Amino acid sequence: MEILAFVIGVVLMVVGLAVSIALHELGHLWPAKKFGVRVGQYMIGFGPTLWSRRMRGTEYGFKAIPLGGYISMAGMYPPSPALRQSQGQGGRSGRAGGGFFATMVQDARDANAETLHGDDDTHVFYRLPVWKRVVVMLGGPVMNFLFAIVLFSILLTGIGVQTATTEVARLSECVPTTGTSECADSAPAAPAEAAGIQPGDTIVSIDGEPVADFAEASAVIRSSPGEQLTFVVEREGTQQTLQVTPATIQTEVTAADGSTTTQEVGFVGIGPTVEYVKQPIWAGAQMAVQNVGAVAGIIWQLPAKVWQTGVDLVTGAERDPNGPLSIVGAGRLSGEVAAADSPILNRVAGYLSLLASLNIALFVFNLIPLLPLDGGHIAVALWDGLKRAWAKLFRRPPPKPVDATKLVPVTFVVVIALIAMGAVLILADIFNPVSLF
């Protein structure tokens, strides 16, 4: 059963990824069609086509490898001068000389030319105003961000956050000695039991101060070793006042810099009831924004973190649990969550958290201002708009549209780098994986 649950978790992550990709491409498709751009294909996956259907001029379908997706818009780039000239002569542009990268540029121009219906074609991407081009390219990442908000909202508001409440679930039998939780014959009784606190009691206040959750009650107790405290507890609908004196125990406290010190803290011996506490409706959006900041910090250091992941793979060192993962790693974690020995609601919450975090990663990663990522196309559109605004300011003729095919060599280098980093992460997730448990 554990293996079956693991497989189900992996499959659910693959399905979740496919849905995330479909929404991402829909975020591009809808505004592109709204603005009149001709869209030839909307595909989920890469490789051979498994199924497709043409509707309203667009072929919709699924491909064999569900690790991405794309839409093909007409006229992503303006036609090159050579193409305009050849079209005027009824021919086609020739192959550029100059080596490998020049050939790549020409291939990109030829592929772009095949999507154009003449030089006067108006249903093309490059003719859109700058703000519309930005909206089209921003639509994909924004869909991932909105999907993450929905998932976090289901997690936090629909299910809730596991919270230690003020209701007492259990009592310790004794005051533990340093380094052990077992009760010796000579160990004194725990203060809570000695004071008459019972499982099922709800702590209302301590020394006149109301407590909202167990964390607040614990903070008061730990800071009051040897000091008598007045507990007000609710038991079977009535409130009772009890006097409790926390015992003094030694415990290790970890500072922000990672160093540990031994301190004396108070101990009464109560264990809280853990419940799912539903959060306000805006908590999902807040969580999404917080995750954007955390993921952006990882993306900013991505090359260095991938390098360290590769070093850890070679040396066998333990990986940074907060480092980058491939889809293999995400699927593996999803499988671990599904196979965990915990209530089904906990596993559902874990899966939703993973899928939401994956969508935040897709949102941030696609905003990197490098082609072929969406952020690269946005940067090209903004540069085009800046050139036009500059020309208008100084009353110069409108400049020609920015020819992004000239950046194909840079795009090629970026693609190779992404493939290399992806390969490192996949190998690390197979042979030196991050584990939740």
Side-chain angles (χ1 to χ4, degrees), residues 199-216:
D201 289 352
T202 298
I203 302 173
V204 178
S205 65
I206 301 178
D207 273 0
E209 294 293 329
V211 289
D213 53 38
F214 184 75
E216 291 184 6

Side-chain angles (χ1 to χ4, degrees), residues 16 41 53 96 142 147 194 207 238 266 276 320 333 370 402 407 418:
Q41 287 185 315
R53 176 175 294 179
V142 167
F147 188 37
D207 273 0
T238 61
Y276 278 100
D320 178 4
L333 292 182
L370 292 173
V402 173
L407 299 175
L418 293 178

Side-chain angles (χ1 to χ4, degrees), residues 241-267:
T241 301
L242 304 172
Q243 303 299 322
V244 185
T245 302
T248 301
I249 63 172
Q250 302 285 331
T251 187
E252 286 190 349
V253 178
T254 303
D257 60 0
S259 61
T260 59
T261 56
T262 300
Q263 294 183 4
E264 291 186 346
V265 298
F267 173 85

